[in-house]
Amino acid sequence: MDLGPFDADNSVSCRLSSHIPDVCKTEDCCLGIDEAGRGPVLGPMVYGICFCPVSKKDDLKDLKVADSKTLTETERENLFQKLDEARSYIGWALQILSPNTISTSMLQRSKYNLNALSHDTAIGLVQYALDSGVQLTEVFVDTVGPAEKYEEKLSQLFPGVKVTVRPKADSLFPVVSAASICAKVARDRVVKGWNFAEQLGEVDSDYGSGYPNDPKTKAWLLKYLDPVFGYPQFVRFSWSTAQTLMDSKSVTVHWDDDDEDGEKAAQRQNNRSMLSYFSASSGANDQTPAHQPHRFFTDRRLKSLDAL
Amino acid sequence: MATRKKRTPNAQNDSWVVVAADSVIDSQKKNSDPAFVKLRNPSTDAASLYMFGSGDDQLYEVKAFEEDFHSWFLGQTVQQDGKLLFVTPMDPLYLILPYLIKSGKEGKFQPVDQVFIDEEFPACSRLLNCTRSLASLHHVAEEKEVGSLKFHRYSRDRTLNWLKKKVERTVIALKKRNISVGEGVKSTTYVRVKPESDHHEEDYLRYAHGLISEYISEDLSKALLQHLQLPELTSPKDTEPPLKKRKLSDKPVEAGEDYTKFNSADFARKPPKKMSAAQKSLAKVDKTGMKPMSSFFSPKVKAEKN
Amino acid sequence: MSCNSNVIRVLPPVGQEQRVPVHLMPCEIEHNGSAQVSEYFTATMKDRKHEKTVSFRGRGLKGQELSCPQGYTGLVLKEVNKPGSDQEDRTVRISSVFNKLTYWNLETPPNSDDTIVMAMDWPELAEAIHGPVDD
């Protein structure tokens, strides 16, 4: 697994993938999807797919892949090693959603929530497999949300593929366990070797699990809080843990959409110039009607000053 | 969940970001420093900020670009106030003119330095020190020389001709800069439909007249409009046709209803039951423009997932 | 009479003028003073196609560089010991200079309709309005 492409720019989302086994292009294949690092306030969320011919399902089982959460880090690394050795019939691909992508998406003017982001990412990976020529017939998905609706959505998007969405699918289907191992290994490696784009000197890498309730993570968040910038891009600004700490310890920042919901913001975007015209003229009406600056100036937000 | 924080006003700002004509700094190489001064704004009659260059030889206008919700990073510092000041060379005649007009009411030729007496703005006498001032007085006044002394008397005809030239210069600059002058409202959805070349010459003249009117009294602005042979528009305050504005408000209040069934008295009294789509959008627009105070206290809703 | 008589003198920089990077941010930051701009902000800026990108407080910004108009220079003025009463004259000093600034939009790609870009029209128009006319 070469994390180089992500390390080169860890502010954006990045796809990593194995070589596509030839057998996967000729035989019917099953594919599993799982994610790692949904909850932590630090680091990326990684989406993984793993696929192999349906005829090789038992071989996959024999590798003794299991839900990554029940394994130690060493066990996961070993299992990933085994998956890699089986590269003649097992392929994988990962989408690393950088913490910065998560922050900026969730805090976007028209909010893009984590569920939508997750679904779109999963769909993108399945599409990638199809585009690469993998003969998909079965897809197994692990989900934290309502399974039925998601299953319906995926079935519609990928006609001819049998889609199964299940909570805890990572412990039910070996191909999902394999995907979860790939995702978790990548997430661990990225977090461990996080390449801070900020010039912070030597950064304490003892950030614990990254979960907001981990005392080590909490201590780290307190230590690396900047009064103006808040946090490095390693932190998910959209998490309430980060927001609360910034609210109490950093300077206040105001945005023009602070009190808008997404829909209103989108509308405001469309009406921006129109709106400014009306607010400018209504503002002038409140004052003495004597002088209203020419629109050359109001359009450009230029005005005279009466004091410095 | 984070709570929405009230905006606290900027405590005494002591730093400004300025884009200034190079002559402002070049002039510093001479002996005296440039200085901001308050002078009487010829259009509003109130105080506005201007600048005199070194030795008062050049007058500058100060305009502030200011948008809500902006701040600066300046090197390794933050400046809360996001204003950007423009300091641009200004024709001192615009500021001299109101004083000349006032003294000209007596119809006498006067020594020009006696004209500049303004208790509120004593710095106004410095306007005469500007290199261009005395040399260009003839654009707005008749001159008489008696021996070594010069006397001036305001001339409306000369002034209007001078202003007309100003308008013409401005039209050229507007065209060169490709500035959109035709539409009453600039909107990304409407504006680019009409190519700039289609703009009527009159649109340019009116726009330029509107710009020059920022520097003269309303009275003189109207006279200039006549001098340019442009008819006054129905809305005297607006020098441009308020096209879009009218479109919104002139729409029938409720297009679906047949008003002919009411007699005129009924019609006048009857308040509209529902707002039309146009009115609704107008109401929405207005609200968004003027943030209600209460909004600063309402809880911040941010997507959240732990 | 009072404060209208006041002038604000503009002093030249002390010694060699300092050049600083200048960013116009699309948010109000309730702070006046030092910040680790180069460490957190400049270091994470990216040059993408047609625009620069960065994020601030978890929000995505898109921006571009804007040069000062021809014949113009950017100045940062700082007040020199503000007088106690408003009867006294004030003084500001040029603390640094710049020839270009970077302005940032919240999520919106920079374009020629951005108000700051349009505001840069002003010096050329001002020259037309205020330049000397022929006799």
Side-chain angles (χ1 to χ4, degrees):
Chain A
M1 189 187 293
D2 175 19
L3 294 169
F6 179 70
D7 282 338
D9 181 357
N10 62 22
S11 70
V12 293
S13 170
C14 175
R15 178 184 296 144
L16 304 176
S17 54
S18 72
H19 172 75
I20 309 276
D22 287 340
V23 64
C24 293
K25 296 178 187 169
T26 52
E27 278 188 43
D28 285 355
C29 287
C30 58
L31 178 148
I33 309 177
D34 198 12
E35 69 191 6
R38 191 186 179 91
V41 62
L42 303 176
M45 180 162 118
V46 181
Y47 249 85
I49 58 169
C50 209
F51 46 89
C52 70
V54 176
S55 62
K56 294 280 189 184
K57 266 186 181 173
D58 285 339
D59 300 61
L60 192 59
K61 217 178 227 166
D62 291 343
L63 292 178
K64 301 239 166 5
V65 289
D67 172 16
S68 68
K69 288 185 209 72
T70 65
L71 305 169
T72 65
E73 196 174 331
T74 325
E75 287 171 324
R76 285 194 296 265
E77 285 285 349
N78 289 339
L79 279 169
F80 181 73
Q81 195 61 41
K82 283 195 194 168
L83 290 170
D84 192 42
E85 282 159 15
R87 69 174 80 91
S88 62
Y89 65 96
I90 298 177
W92 53 265
L94 300 169
Q95 190 73 31
I96 306 180
L97 299 174
S98 72
N100 186 53
T101 302
I102 297 170
S103 301
T104 54
S105 300
M106 289 173 70
L107 299 176
Q108 214 167 278
R109 271 190 201 280
S110 31
K111 303 282 175 283
Y112 186 26
N113 69 40
L114 203 59
N115 258 340
L117 188 60
S118 301
H119 287 193
D120 291 349
T121 306
I123 290 161
L125 281 170
V126 175
Q127 193 60 53
Y128 163 77
L130 287 169
D131 292 347
S132 309
V134 178
Q135 299 298 305
L136 283 187
T137 54
E138 302 169 14
V139 167
F140 300 91
V141 188
D142 189 278
T143 185
V144 289
E148 269 172 48
K149 268 202 162 168
Y150 192 18
E151 191 172 287
E152 203 181 299
K153 182 177 171 184
L154 291 174
S155 301
Q156 269 176 3
L157 277 168
F158 304 109
V161 179
K162 167 95 179 77
V163 180
T164 310
V165 179
R166 287 275 194 293
K168 306 217 165 57
D170 52 354
S171 56
L172 300 172
F173 310 103
V175 74
V176 179
S177 308
S180 93
I181 285 162
C182 294
K184 185 75 171 132
V185 164
R187 148 107 191 154
D188 284 346
R189 290 190 189 174
V190 167
V191 169
K192 222 180 204 174
W194 185 262
N195 181 15
F196 286 87
E198 296 80 6
Q199 292 165 357
L200 302 178
E202 198 65 33
V203 181
D204 180 0
S205 64
D206 196 15
Y207 16 71
S209 64
Y211 279 91
N213 55 5
D214 183 333
K216 275 191 175 172
T217 303
K218 269 189 181 162
W220 192 91
L221 285 174
L222 271 172
K223 184 175 171 184
Y224 284 95
L225 180 58
D226 181 88
V228 172
F229 295 92
Y231 287 108
Q233 291 178 348
F234 183 49
V235 175
R236 301 180 190 174
F237 284 76
S238 43
W239 258 236
S240 68
T241 322
Q243 294 260 332
T244 310
L245 280 167
M246 285 190 295
D247 276 345
S248 61
K249 297 195 193 302
S250 294
V251 303
T252 309
V253 172
H254 304 280
W255 302 89
D256 64 1
D257 65 347
D258 272 353
D259 53 1
E260 289 176 358
D261 55 38
E263 206 178 313
K264 220 166 145 191
Q267 199 206 341
R268 202 191 59 82
Q269 274 289 89
N270 290 337
N271 289 335
R272 191 165 55 152
S273 347
M274 194 79 143
L275 183 155
S276 58
Y277 176 79
F278 285 113
S279 63
S281 51
S282 64
N285 287 343
D286 292 343
Q287 300 158 0
T288 50
H291 182 77
Q292 188 183 329
H294 189 263
R295 74 177 138 98
F296 175 86
F297 297 107
T298 51
D299 280 353
R300 288 165 181 75
R301 306 292 183 277
L302 288 167
K303 59 179 191 187
S304 295
L305 290 179
D306 55 11
L308 190 64
Chain B
M1 179 62 65
T3 19
R4 178 87 194 77
K5 284 196 183 170
K6 190 184 166 186
R7 284 170 82 186
T8 29
N10 191 359
Q12 285 289 309
N13 184 51
D14 69 346
S15 175
W16 297 269
V17 184
V18 182
V19 166
D22 288 342
S23 56
V24 173
I25 350 177
D26 293 345
S27 71
Q28 278 193 319
K29 280 151 197 157
K30 298 173 197 164
N31 283 330
S32 65
D33 300 312
F36 289 101
V37 289
K38 282 180 200 175
L39 295 167
R40 193 182 290 282
N41 184 312
S43 164
T44 64
D45 206 36
S48 283
L49 198 64
Y50 299 90
M51 183 187 269
F52 280 119
S54 173
D56 292 359
D57 50 9
Q58 172 68 55
L59 174 72
Y60 298 91
E61 184 179 12
V62 181
K63 287 258 187 224
F65 167 78
E66 184 174 25
E67 269 190 304
D68 219 359
F69 300 103
H70 278 81
S71 292
W72 290 100
F73 286 157
L74 306 168
Q76 292 289 84
T77 60
V78 176
Q79 179 185 306
Q80 180 176 355
D81 175 31
K83 274 202 289 290
L84 174 63
L85 306 189
F86 284 89
V87 177
T88 53
M90 175 160 187
D91 190 336
L93 270 194
Y94 289 117
L95 296 193
I96 288 171
L97 202 50
Y99 294 102
L100 271 181
I101 291 174
K102 204 174 156 205
S103 74
K105 290 208 169 101
E106 295 158 44
K108 287 187 294 190
F109 281 88
Q110 293 182 58
V112 76
D113 52 346
Q114 282 177 24
V115 167
F116 292 92
I117 297 153
D118 190 334
E119 285 209 334
E120 233 184 305
F121 300 98
C124 73
S125 59
R126 292 169 67 177
L127 288 167
L128 280 182
N129 303 341
C130 295
T131 319
R132 285 168 60 186
S133 296
L134 289 175
S136 59
L137 271 179
H138 65 278
H139 285 303
V140 294
E142 292 165 73
E143 289 177 322
K144 225 181 215 177
E145 259 177 280
V146 180
S148 61
L149 294 173
K150 264 193 178 177
F151 297 86
H152 288 87
R153 184 171 70 183
Y154 168 65
S155 160
R156 190 175 169 102
D157 289 346
R158 287 189 176 202
T159 301
L160 288 172
N161 280 330
W162 171 69
L163 289 171
K164 190 179 177 204
K165 286 177 186 165
K166 290 283 196 185
V167 168
E168 286 159 359
R169 280 175 59 99
T170 307
V171 165
I172 293 168
L174 288 169
K175 288 179 178 170
K176 188 180 160 210
R177 198 78 200 181
N178 216 7
I179 285 168
S180 160
V181 298
E183 308 288 324
V185 174
K186 190 177 155 36
S187 159
T188 37
T189 36
Y190 298 86
V191 88
R192 298 292 137 126
V193 179
K194 193 173 166 186
E196 301 293 321
S197 57
D198 282 9
H199 286 317
H200 204 269
E201 197 64 22
E202 187 183 322
D203 291 339
Y204 279 107
L205 271 179
R206 282 193 189 278
Y207 197 98
H209 167 266
L211 280 171
I212 298 297
S213 295
E214 290 282 311
Y215 300 93
I216 54 179
S217 68
E218 201 182 330
D219 181 48
L220 203 49
S221 166
K222 279 183 187 168
L224 177 59
L225 203 61
Q226 281 187 351
H227 191 64
L228 294 167
Q229 293 172 320
L230 292 171
E232 231 177 281
L233 294 170
T234 39
S235 164
K237 259 202 308 173
D238 261 333
T239 40
E240 302 94 36
L243 281 176
K244 300 292 174 191
K245 210 174 175 179
R246 205 180 298 139
K247 255 186 206 161
L248 279 174
S249 51
D250 280 0
K251 258 192 188 164
V253 172
E254 208 169 344
E257 261 193 73
D258 181 8
Y259 282 112
T260 54
K261 67 188 171 201
F262 300 114
N263 67 37
S264 61
D266 265 349
F267 177 50
R269 241 182 288 126
K270 200 171 173 74
K273 278 179 245 150
K274 279 190 282 178
M275 284 199 288
S276 70
Q279 278 181 316
K280 272 183 205 159
S281 68
L282 187 58
K284 242 184 229 169
V285 160
D286 272 341
K287 228 183 290 160
T288 334
M290 298 175 288
K291 202 163 279 187
M293 203 56 188
S294 60
S295 70
F296 293 131
F297 299 95
S298 61
K300 187 182 201 168
V301 188
K302 288 280 184 217
E304 190 57 51
K305 173 82 204 323
N306 272 352
Chain C
M1 209 103 163
S2 72
C3 60
N4 280 334
S5 61
N6 282 11
V7 297
I8 306 168
R9 279 170 63 207
V10 182
L11 302 178
V14 188
Q16 186 60 40
E17 55 205 17
Q18 198 197 339
R19 295 206 167 247
V20 293
V22 169
H23 299 270
L24 182 57
M25 298 293 288
C27 55
E28 185 177 355
I29 306 168
E30 282 190 12
H31 180 57
N32 287 292
S34 64
Q36 302 194 64
V37 179
S38 64
E39 292 85 345
Y40 278 88
F41 195 76
T42 324
T44 53
M45 273 164 49
K46 304 269 185 222
D47 273 305
R48 312 269 184 218
K49 239 188 242 171
H50 313 301
E51 65 197 26
K52 291 172 182 294
T53 63
V54 77
S55 60
F56 178 64
R57 295 273 184 116
R59 307 217 56 182
L61 312 185
K62 293 180 177 175
Q64 71 175 359
E65 250 175 30
L66 208 53
S67 294
C68 289
Q70 191 72 37
Y72 281 74
T73 303
L75 309 171
V76 179
L77 306 179
K78 276 227 158 28
E79 183 118 34
V80 183
N81 48 42
K82 201 161 191 160
S85 82
D86 59 2
Q87 298 298 308
E88 293 167 60
D89 283 345
R90 292 161 59 192
T91 312
V92 295
R93 186 182 289 285
I94 298 171
S95 68
S96 43
V97 297
F98 60 92
N99 287 323
K100 55 188 191 329
L101 58 88
T102 308
Y103 78 91
W104 298 94
N105 291 338
L106 176 56
E107 294 163 12
T108 323
N111 72 87
S112 58
D113 279 344
D114 289 328
T115 43
I116 179 76
V117 179
M118 295 208 300
M120 292 291 175
D121 289 337
W122 173 230
E124 198 173 319
L125 256 288
E127 157 58 24
I129 295 167
H130 296 287
V133 301
D134 303 331
D135 282 313

